Amino acid sequence: MKKIRMPGKLAHVLAFVLALLLTLTLTMTCLTWQVNRVLTDADMHRAVYLDSRVTDAQMARIQARVEEIAREHPFQVETVMDIVNEDAVKAFNSEANAWWMGLMQPDPVLEAPAFDASDVEAAVREDAVFLENTPSTHYRTVARDDIAYEVGVAVNKAVLPVRADVLSIVMPKVLEKIDLPVYMGYLAMAPWACLGVSAVLALLLVLVMIRRLSKAGLYIGAAMMASALCVAGLGVMLYLIGVTGMIAELSMLLALQVSLLTKQIALQAGVYVAAALILGGGLIALHQADMNRLGKARRSIDA
Amino acid sequence: MARKYQRANRMNWLMPVLFALPLLCLAGAALLLWGDQLRDLINIAVKLAVIS
């Protein structure tokens, strides 16, 4: 009779430890991948700031402020809104995004971009309502300081509602202490490094369980499913901290962008969780089928 | 004997929970212990950086 080869107790203890480590490295792969995307994935950020909900909210905020300015210093709102249109706001969004992402690259530009409102000034100075209601000696100062400057501030606040001056003070200090671009390089490698370590651990599990490969499948599958549970659990914990709510208390516009960004990350992390659950579950199911087949063979021999 | 073996075999489906528990417990404990401080820290950073 052919003897059924099974791994010993030591092999199971080793496999247990390796599977625990594999759970950790697989979870780290997913987490570092997502952190990396938040800090470096320009395409993902473009999809967020070009989202029609973001543009609509920004345009509504800018229009409200322009109407407010027009009540103080009469001019036709359309004159300004024709210049500060959706395309101009989207272009400035792109500029602002390139700026903050560049802060973590070598030789960053510390000064935040400002919306160029010189066209607004020129247009307002030719506006019929403005010319009728403003003393001719004040055309230039009112158009430049009271209207164009304020419109520029409104666009800046709508697109980049952060204290750029604080960043300009803090970032040089941070860059003095930490070589941020080097750490960003490490972060870019981190998901691949974690994936590589995971592959090595999976290979070790196969070697430890070489007597019955389906057992290696059981441990690898269990680790994959466990990492899916960990990613989902950590996601729930991060959600419970409620960063979006804190931002929403101060700026609904930024909170909207953060919420869209969170959805993008949750979607991809969700794909990882689903894939890990299906693949891991498949490997465990293969092991179960193998063990059931062996059990049946044993029972038929006993009978 | 066969039933006992089958029950033990079915328990294999609980292995993912067993492997996930240490990490989730650690993260949960950290959140319980330092969650409030972390929230305060993030809140201060958000208030410093974001214009209302």
Coordinates of all heavy atoms in Angstrom, one line a residue, chain A residues 16 19-20 23-24 27 157 160-163 166 218-219 221-223 225-226 229-230 233-234 237 240-243 246-247 250-251 254 281 284-285 287-288 291-292 294-295 298-299, chain B residues 1-3 5-6 8-29 31 35 38-52:
Chain A
F16 N 3.1 27.9 10.1 CA 2.3 28.9 10.8 C 3.0 30.3 10.9 O 2.4 31.3 10.6 CB 1.9 28.3 12.2 CG 0.9 29.1 12.9 CD1 -0.5 28.8 12.7 CD2 1.3 30.1 13.8 CE1 -1.4 29.6 13.4 CE2 0.3 30.8 14.5 CZ -1.0 30.6 14.3
A19 N 3.3 31.9 7.6 CA 2.0 32.4 7.1 C 1.6 33.7 7.8 O 1.1 34.7 7.2 CB 0.9 31.4 7.3
L20 N 2.0 33.8 9.1 CA 1.7 35.1 9.8 C 2.5 36.2 9.2 O 2.0 37.3 9.0 CB 2.1 34.9 11.3 CG 1.1 34.4 12.3 CD1 1.7 34.2 13.7 CD2 -0.1 35.5 12.4
T23 N 1.1 37.2 5.9 CA -0.1 38.1 6.1 C 0.3 39.6 6.3 O -0.2 40.5 5.7 CB -0.9 37.7 7.4 OG1 -1.2 36.3 7.3 CG2 -2.1 38.5 7.6
L24 N 1.4 39.7 7.1 CA 1.9 41.1 7.4 C 2.5 41.7 6.1 O 2.1 42.9 5.8 CB 3.0 41.0 8.5 CG 3.5 42.3 9.0 CD1 2.5 43.0 9.8 CD2 4.7 42.1 9.9
T27 N -0.3 42.6 3.6 CA -1.0 43.8 4.0 C -0.2 45.0 3.8 O -0.7 46.0 3.3 CB -1.4 43.6 5.6 OG1 -2.0 42.4 5.8 CG2 -2.3 44.8 6.0
K157 N -8.6 80.6 -3.1 CA -9.3 79.9 -1.9 C -10.1 78.7 -2.3 O -10.2 77.7 -1.6 CB -10.1 80.9 -1.1 CG -9.4 81.7 -0.1 CD -10.4 82.4 0.8 CE -9.7 83.2 1.9 NZ -10.7 83.9 2.7
L160 N -7.4 76.0 -3.9 CA -6.3 75.6 -3.0 C -6.6 76.1 -1.6 O -6.0 77.1 -1.1 CB -5.0 76.1 -3.5 CG -3.7 75.4 -3.0 CD1 -3.6 74.0 -3.6 CD2 -2.5 76.2 -3.5
P161 N -7.6 75.5 -0.9 CA -8.0 76.1 0.4 C -7.0 75.7 1.5 O -7.5 75.2 2.6 CB -9.4 75.6 0.6 CG -9.5 74.3 -0.2 CD -8.4 74.4 -1.2
V162 N -5.7 75.9 1.3 CA -4.8 75.6 2.3 C -3.9 76.8 2.6 O -3.8 77.7 1.8 CB -3.8 74.4 1.9 CG1 -4.6 73.1 1.8 CG2 -3.1 74.8 0.7
R163 N -3.4 76.9 3.8 CA -2.5 78.0 4.2 C -1.1 77.8 3.6 O -0.3 77.2 4.2 CB -2.4 78.2 5.7 CG -3.7 78.7 6.3 CD -3.5 78.8 7.8 NE -4.7 78.4 8.5 CZ -5.7 79.2 8.7 NH1 -5.8 80.4 8.2 NH2 -6.8 78.7 9.3
V166 N 1.9 78.9 5.6 CA 2.4 78.0 6.6 C 3.3 77.0 6.0 O 4.3 76.6 6.5 CB 1.2 77.4 7.4 CG1 1.6 76.3 8.3 CG2 0.4 78.4 8.1
L218 N -3.0 25.8 1.5 CA -3.8 26.1 2.6 C -3.2 27.3 3.4 O -3.9 28.3 3.6 CB -3.9 24.9 3.5 CG -4.6 25.2 4.9 CD1 -6.1 25.5 4.8 CD2 -4.4 24.1 5.9
Y219 N -1.9 27.3 3.7 CA -1.3 28.3 4.4 C -1.2 29.6 3.6 O -1.5 30.7 4.1 CB 0.1 27.9 4.9 CG 0.0 27.0 6.1 CD1 0.2 25.6 6.0 CD2 -0.2 27.5 7.4 CE1 0.1 24.8 7.1 CE2 -0.3 26.7 8.5 CZ -0.1 25.3 8.3 OH -0.2 24.5 9.4
G221 N -3.1 30.5 1.0 CA -4.5 31.0 0.8 C -5.0 31.7 2.1 O -5.6 32.7 2.0
A222 N -4.7 31.0 3.3 CA -5.2 31.6 4.5 C -4.5 33.0 4.8 O -5.2 33.9 5.2 CB -4.9 30.7 5.7
A223 N -3.2 33.1 4.4 CA -2.5 34.3 4.6 C -3.1 35.4 3.7 O -3.2 36.6 4.1 CB -1.0 34.1 4.4
M225 N -6.2 35.5 2.4 CA -7.5 36.0 3.0 C -7.3 36.8 4.2 O -8.1 37.8 4.4 CB -8.4 34.7 3.3 CG -8.9 34.0 2.0 SD -9.9 32.7 2.4 CE -11.5 33.5 2.6
A226 N -6.4 36.4 5.1 CA -6.1 37.2 6.3 C -5.7 38.6 5.9 O -6.1 39.6 6.6 CB -5.1 36.5 7.1
L229 N -8.6 40.6 5.1 CA -9.4 41.0 6.3 C -8.7 42.2 7.0 O -9.3 43.1 7.5 CB -9.5 39.8 7.3 CG -10.3 38.6 6.8 CD1 -10.3 37.5 7.8 CD2 -11.8 39.0 6.6
C230 N -7.3 42.1 7.0 CA -6.6 43.2 7.7 C -6.7 44.5 6.9 O -6.9 45.5 7.6 CB -5.1 42.8 7.7 SG -4.7 41.5 8.9
G233 N -10.2 45.7 7.6 CA -10.3 46.2 9.0 C -9.6 47.5 9.2 O -10.1 48.4 9.9
L234 N -8.4 47.6 8.7 CA -7.6 48.9 8.9 C -8.3 50.0 8.1 O -8.3 51.2 8.6 CB -6.2 48.7 8.3 CG -5.3 47.8 9.1 CD1 -3.9 47.6 8.4 CD2 -5.0 48.3 10.5
M237 N -11.0 51.2 10.4 CA -10.4 52.0 11.5 C -10.0 53.4 11.1 O -10.3 54.4 11.8 CB -9.2 51.3 12.1 CG -9.5 50.0 12.9 SD -8.0 49.2 13.5 CE -8.7 47.6 13.8
L240 N -13.0 55.4 10.8 CA -13.6 55.8 12.2 C -12.9 57.0 12.7 O -13.4 57.8 13.5 CB -13.5 54.6 13.1 CG -14.5 53.5 12.9 CD1 -14.2 52.4 13.9 CD2 -15.9 54.0 13.0
I241 N -11.6 57.2 12.3 CA -10.8 58.4 12.8 C -11.5 59.7 12.2 O -11.6 60.7 12.9 CB -9.4 58.4 12.4 CG1 -8.7 57.3 13.2 CG2 -8.6 59.7 12.6 CD1 -7.2 57.0 12.8
G242 N -12.1 59.6 11.0 CA -12.9 60.7 10.5 C -12.2 61.9 10.0 O -12.6 63.0 10.4
V243 N -11.1 61.7 9.2 CA -10.3 62.9 8.8 C -11.2 63.8 7.8 O -11.1 65.0 7.9 CB -9.1 62.4 8.0 CG1 -8.3 63.6 7.5 CG2 -8.2 61.6 9.0
M246 N -13.3 66.2 9.7 CA -12.5 67.3 10.3 C -12.3 68.4 9.3 O -12.4 69.6 9.5 CB -11.1 66.8 10.8 CG -11.2 65.9 12.0 SD -9.5 65.4 12.4 CE -9.8 63.9 13.2
I247 N -11.9 67.9 8.0 CA -11.7 68.9 6.9 C -13.0 69.6 6.6 O -13.0 70.8 6.3 CB -11.0 68.2 5.7 CG1 -9.7 67.6 6.1 CG2 -10.9 69.1 4.5 CD1 -9.0 66.7 5.1
L250 N -14.0 72.7 8.1 CA -13.3 73.9 7.7 C -13.5 74.3 6.3 O -13.7 75.4 5.9 CB -11.8 73.8 8.0 CG -11.4 73.6 9.4 CD1 -10.0 73.2 9.5 CD2 -11.6 74.9 10.2
S251 N -13.5 73.3 5.4 CA -13.7 73.6 4.0 C -14.4 72.4 3.3 O -13.9 71.3 3.1 CB -12.3 73.8 3.3 OG -12.4 73.8 1.9
L254 N -12.5 71.3 0.0 CA -11.4 70.4 0.1 C -11.9 69.0 0.6 O -11.4 67.9 0.2 CB -10.4 70.9 1.2 CG -9.1 70.2 1.2 CD1 -8.3 70.4 -0.1 CD2 -8.2 70.8 2.3
G281 N -9.3 31.9 -1.0 CA -10.4 31.0 -0.8 C -10.2 29.8 -1.8 O -10.5 28.7 -1.4
I284 N -7.5 27.5 -0.5 CA -8.0 26.7 0.7 C -9.0 25.6 0.1 O -9.0 24.4 0.6 CB -8.7 27.6 1.7 CG1 -7.7 28.6 2.3 CG2 -9.3 26.7 2.8 CD1 -8.3 29.5 3.3
A285 N -9.9 26.0 -0.8 CA -10.8 25.0 -1.4 C -10.1 23.8 -2.0 O -10.5 22.7 -1.9 CB -11.7 25.7 -2.4
H287 N -7.2 22.7 -1.2 CA -6.7 21.9 -0.1 C -7.8 21.0 0.5 O -7.6 19.8 0.8 CB -6.1 22.8 1.0 CG -5.8 22.1 2.3 ND1 -6.7 22.0 3.3 CD2 -4.8 21.3 2.7 CE1 -6.2 21.3 4.3 NE2 -5.1 20.8 4.0
Q288 N -8.9 21.6 0.7 CA -10.1 20.9 1.3 C -10.4 19.7 0.4 O -10.7 18.6 0.9 CB -11.3 21.8 1.5 CG -11.0 23.0 2.4 CD -10.7 22.6 3.8 OE1 -9.5 22.3 4.1 NE2 -11.6 22.5 4.7
M291 N -7.9 17.0 0.8 CA -8.0 16.3 2.1 C -9.3 15.4 2.0 O -9.2 14.3 2.6 CB -8.1 17.3 3.2 CG -6.8 18.0 3.6 SD -5.5 16.9 4.1 CE -4.4 17.0 2.7
N292 N -10.4 15.9 1.4 CA -11.6 15.1 1.4 C -11.3 13.8 0.5 O -11.7 12.7 0.9 CB -12.7 15.8 0.7 CG -13.3 16.8 1.7 OD1 -13.2 16.6 2.9 ND2 -13.9 17.9 1.2
L294 N -8.4 12.3 0.1 CA -7.5 11.5 1.0 C -8.4 10.8 2.0 O -8.2 9.6 2.3 CB -6.4 12.3 1.6 CG -5.2 12.6 0.8 CD1 -4.2 13.4 1.6 CD2 -4.6 11.3 0.3
G295 N -9.3 11.5 2.7 CA -10.2 11.0 3.7 C -11.0 9.8 3.2 O -11.1 8.8 3.8
R298 N -8.8 6.8 2.6 CA -8.5 6.2 3.9 C -9.7 5.4 4.4 O -9.6 4.2 4.9 CB -8.2 7.3 4.9 CG -6.8 7.2 5.4 CD -6.6 8.1 6.6 NE -5.2 8.5 6.5 CZ -4.7 9.6 7.0 NH1 -5.5 10.5 7.6 NH2 -3.4 9.9 6.9
R299 N -10.9 6.0 4.3 CA -12.1 5.3 4.8 C -12.4 4.0 4.0 O -12.8 3.0 4.6 CB -13.3 6.2 4.7 CG -13.4 7.2 5.9 CD -14.7 7.8 6.0 NE -15.1 8.7 4.9 CZ -14.7 9.9 4.7 NH1 -13.9 10.5 5.6 NH2 -15.0 10.6 3.7
Chain B
M1 N -15.0 8.8 13.9 CA -13.7 9.2 13.6 C -13.7 10.0 12.3 O -13.1 11.1 12.3 CB -12.8 7.9 13.4 CG -11.3 8.2 13.0 SD -10.4 9.0 14.4 CE -9.0 9.5 13.6
A2 N -14.4 9.5 11.3 CA -14.5 10.2 10.0 C -15.2 11.6 10.2 O -14.7 12.6 9.6 CB -15.3 9.4 9.0
R3 N -16.2 11.6 11.1 CA -16.9 12.9 11.3 C -16.0 13.9 12.0 O -16.0 15.1 11.6 CB -18.2 12.6 12.1 CG -19.3 13.6 11.9 CD -20.6 13.2 12.5 NE -21.2 12.1 11.8 CZ -22.2 11.4 12.4 NH1 -22.6 11.6 13.6 NH2 -22.7 10.4 11.7
Y5 N -12.8 14.0 11.8 CA -11.8 14.4 10.9 C -12.4 15.5 9.9 O -11.8 16.5 9.7 CB -11.4 13.2 10.0 CG -10.5 13.6 8.9 CD1 -9.2 13.9 9.0 CD2 -11.1 13.6 7.6 CE1 -8.4 14.2 7.9 CE2 -10.3 14.0 6.5 CZ -9.0 14.3 6.7 OH -8.2 14.6 5.6
Q6 N -13.7 15.3 9.5 CA -14.3 16.2 8.6 C -14.5 17.6 9.3 O -14.3 18.6 8.7 CB -15.7 15.7 8.1 CG -15.5 14.8 6.9 CD -16.8 14.3 6.4 OE1 -17.8 14.2 7.2 NE2 -16.9 13.8 5.2
A8 N -12.7 18.8 11.8 CA -11.4 19.4 11.9 C -11.0 20.0 10.5 O -10.4 21.1 10.5 CB -10.3 18.4 12.3
N9 N -11.3 19.3 9.5 CA -11.0 19.8 8.1 C -11.7 21.1 7.8 O -11.2 22.0 7.2 CB -11.3 18.7 7.1 CG -10.5 18.9 5.8 OD1 -9.4 19.5 5.9 ND2 -11.0 18.3 4.7
R10 N -13.0 21.2 8.2 CA -13.8 22.4 8.0 C -13.2 23.6 8.7 O -13.4 24.7 8.3 CB -15.2 22.1 8.4 CG -16.1 21.6 7.2 CD -17.5 21.8 7.4 NE -18.1 21.1 8.6 CZ -18.5 19.9 8.6 NH1 -18.5 19.2 7.5 NH2 -19.0 19.4 9.8
M11 N -12.6 23.3 9.9 CA -12.0 24.4 10.7 C -10.9 25.2 9.9 O -10.6 26.3 10.3 CB -11.4 23.9 12.0 CG -12.5 23.3 12.9 SD -13.6 24.5 13.6 CE -12.7 25.0 15.0
N12 N -10.4 24.5 8.9 CA -9.3 25.2 8.1 C -9.8 26.5 7.5 O -9.0 27.4 7.3 CB -8.9 24.3 6.9 CG -8.0 23.2 7.4 OD1 -7.3 23.3 8.4 ND2 -8.1 22.0 6.7
W13 N -11.1 26.6 7.3 CA -11.7 27.9 6.8 C -11.6 29.0 7.8 O -11.7 30.2 7.4 CB -13.2 27.7 6.4 CG -13.3 26.9 5.1 CD1 -13.7 25.6 5.0 CD2 -13.0 27.4 3.8 NE1 -13.7 25.3 3.6 CE2 -13.3 26.3 2.9 CE3 -12.6 28.6 3.2 CZ2 -13.1 26.4 1.5 CZ3 -12.4 28.7 1.9 CH2 -12.7 27.7 1.0
L14 N -11.3 28.7 9.0 CA -11.1 29.7 10.0 C -9.7 30.2 10.2 O -9.4 31.2 10.9 CB -11.6 29.2 11.4 CG -13.1 29.0 11.6 CD1 -13.4 28.5 12.9 CD2 -13.9 30.4 11.4
M15 N -8.8 29.6 9.4 CA -7.4 30.0 9.5 C -7.1 31.4 9.1 O -6.3 32.1 9.8 CB -6.5 29.0 8.7 CG -6.1 27.8 9.4 SD -5.2 26.7 8.4 CE -3.6 27.4 8.5
P16 N -7.8 32.0 8.1 CA -7.6 33.4 7.8 C -7.9 34.3 8.9 O -7.2 35.3 9.2 CB -8.5 33.6 6.6 CG -8.8 32.3 6.0 CD -8.7 31.3 7.1
V17 N -9.0 34.0 9.7 CA -9.3 34.8 10.8 C -8.2 34.7 11.9 O -7.8 35.7 12.5 CB -10.7 34.4 11.4 CG1 -11.0 35.2 12.6 CG2 -11.8 34.4 10.4
L18 N -7.7 33.5 12.1 CA -6.6 33.3 13.1 C -5.4 34.2 12.7 O -4.7 34.8 13.6 CB -6.3 31.8 13.1 CG -5.3 31.3 14.1 CD1 -5.9 31.4 15.5 CD2 -4.8 29.9 13.8
F19 N -5.0 34.2 11.4 CA -3.8 35.0 11.0 C -4.1 36.5 11.0 O -3.2 37.2 11.2 CB -3.4 34.5 9.6 CG -2.8 33.2 9.5 CD1 -3.1 32.3 8.4 CD2 -1.9 32.7 10.4 CE1 -2.6 31.0 8.4 CE2 -1.4 31.4 10.4 CZ -1.7 30.6 9.3
A20 N -5.4 36.9 10.8 CA -5.7 38.3 10.7 C -5.8 38.9 12.1 O -5.5 40.1 12.3 CB -6.9 38.5 9.9
L21 N -6.2 38.0 13.1 CA -6.5 38.5 14.4 C -5.3 39.3 15.1 O -5.5 40.4 15.6 CB -6.9 37.4 15.3 CG -8.4 37.2 15.4 CD1 -8.8 36.0 16.3 CD2 -9.1 38.5 15.9
P22 N -4.0 38.8 15.1 CA -3.0 39.5 15.8 C -2.8 40.9 15.3 O -2.7 41.9 16.1 CB -1.7 38.7 15.5 CG -2.2 37.3 15.1 CD -3.5 37.5 14.5
L23 N -2.8 41.1 13.9 CA -2.6 42.4 13.3 C -3.8 43.3 13.6 O -3.6 44.5 14.0 CB -2.4 42.3 11.8 CG -1.8 43.4 11.1 CD1 -0.3 43.6 11.6 CD2 -1.7 43.2 9.6
L24 N -5.0 42.8 13.5 CA -6.2 43.6 13.8 C -6.3 44.0 15.2 O -6.7 45.1 15.6 CB -7.5 42.9 13.3 CG -7.7 42.8 11.8 CD1 -8.9 41.9 11.5 CD2 -7.8 44.2 11.2
C25 N -5.9 43.0 16.1 CA -6.0 43.3 17.6 C -5.0 44.4 17.9 O -5.3 45.3 18.7 CB -5.7 42.1 18.4 SG -7.0 40.9 18.4
L26 N -3.8 44.3 17.3 CA -2.7 45.3 17.6 C -3.2 46.7 17.1 O -3.1 47.7 17.8 CB -1.4 45.0 16.8 CG -0.4 44.2 17.5 CD1 0.8 43.9 16.6 CD2 0.1 44.9 18.7
A27 N -3.8 46.7 15.9 CA -4.2 48.0 15.3 C -5.4 48.6 16.2 O -5.5 49.8 16.5 CB -4.7 47.8 13.9
G28 N -6.3 47.7 16.6 CA -7.4 48.0 17.4 C -7.0 48.6 18.7 O -7.5 49.6 19.2
A29 N -6.0 47.9 19.4 CA -5.5 48.3 20.7 C -4.9 49.7 20.5 O -5.1 50.6 21.4 CB -4.6 47.3 21.2
L31 N -5.5 51.9 18.4 CA -6.6 52.9 18.1 C -7.3 53.3 19.4 O -7.6 54.5 19.7 CB -7.6 52.4 17.1 CG -8.5 53.4 16.5 CD1 -7.8 54.4 15.6 CD2 -9.6 52.7 15.7
G35 N -6.0 56.6 19.9 CA -6.9 57.1 18.9 C -7.3 58.6 19.2 O -7.3 59.4 18.2
L38 N -4.3 60.8 18.4 CA -4.1 60.8 17.0 C -5.1 61.8 16.3 O -4.8 62.6 15.5 CB -4.2 59.4 16.4 CG -4.0 59.3 14.9 CD1 -2.5 59.5 14.6 CD2 -4.3 57.9 14.4
R39 N -6.4 61.7 16.8 CA -7.4 62.5 16.2 C -7.1 64.0 16.5 O -7.2 64.8 15.6 CB -8.8 62.2 16.9 CG -9.6 61.3 16.1 CD -11.0 61.1 16.8 NE -11.8 62.3 16.7 CZ -12.6 62.6 15.7 NH1 -12.7 61.7 14.7 NH2 -13.2 63.7 15.6
D40 N -6.7 64.3 17.7 CA -6.3 65.7 18.1 C -5.2 66.2 17.2 O -5.2 67.3 16.8 CB -5.9 65.8 19.6 CG -7.1 65.5 20.5 OD1 -8.3 65.6 20.0 OD2 -6.9 65.3 21.7
L41 N -4.2 65.3 17.0 CA -3.0 65.7 16.2 C -3.4 66.0 14.8 O -3.0 67.1 14.2 CB -2.0 64.6 16.3 CG -0.5 64.9 15.9 CD1 0.1 65.8 17.0 CD2 0.3 63.7 15.7
I42 N -4.2 65.1 14.2 CA -4.7 65.4 12.9 C -5.5 66.6 12.8 O -5.4 67.4 11.9 CB -5.5 64.1 12.3 CG1 -4.6 62.9 12.2 CG2 -6.1 64.4 11.0 CD1 -5.3 61.6 11.9
N43 N -6.4 66.8 13.8 CA -7.3 68.0 13.9 C -6.5 69.3 13.9 O -6.8 70.2 13.2 CB -8.1 67.9 15.1 CG -9.5 68.5 14.9 OD1 -9.7 69.1 13.8 ND2 -10.3 68.5 15.9
I44 N -5.4 69.3 14.7 CA -4.5 70.5 14.8 C -3.9 70.8 13.4 O -3.9 71.9 12.9 CB -3.4 70.3 15.9 CG1 -4.1 70.4 17.3 CG2 -2.4 71.4 15.8 CD1 -3.2 69.9 18.4
A45 N -3.3 69.7 12.8 CA -2.7 69.8 11.5 C -3.7 70.3 10.5 O -3.3 71.2 9.7 CB -2.1 68.4 11.1
V46 N -4.9 69.8 10.5 CA -5.9 70.2 9.5 C -6.2 71.7 9.7 O -6.3 72.5 8.8 CB -7.2 69.3 9.6 CG1 -8.4 69.9 8.9 CG2 -6.9 67.9 9.1
K47 N -6.4 72.1 11.0 CA -6.8 73.5 11.3 C -5.6 74.4 10.9 O -5.9 75.6 10.5 CB -7.1 73.6 12.8 CG -8.5 73.2 13.1 CD -8.9 73.4 14.5 CE -10.4 73.0 14.7 NZ -10.7 72.6 16.0
L48 N -4.4 74.0 11.1 CA -3.2 74.8 10.7 C -3.2 75.0 9.2 O -2.8 76.0 8.7 CB -1.9 74.1 11.2 CG -1.3 74.7 12.4 CD1 -0.1 73.8 12.8 CD2 -0.9 76.1 12.3
A49 N -3.5 73.9 8.5 CA -3.2 73.9 7.0 C -4.4 74.4 6.2 O -4.2 74.9 5.1 CB -2.8 72.5 6.6
V50 N -5.6 74.2 6.7 CA -6.8 74.4 5.8 C -7.4 75.8 6.2 O -7.6 76.1 7.3 CB -7.8 73.3 6.0 CG1 -9.1 73.6 5.1 CG2 -7.2 72.0 5.6
I51 N -7.8 76.5 5.1 CA -8.5 77.8 5.3 C -10.0 77.5 5.3 O -10.5 76.8 4.5 CB -8.2 78.7 4.1 CG1 -6.7 79.0 4.0 CG2 -9.0 80.0 4.2 CD1 -6.3 79.8 2.7
S52 N -10.6 78.1 6.3 CA -12.1 77.9 6.4 C -12.8 78.9 5.5 O -12.3 79.9 5.1 CB -12.6 78.1 7.8 OG -12.2 79.3 8.3

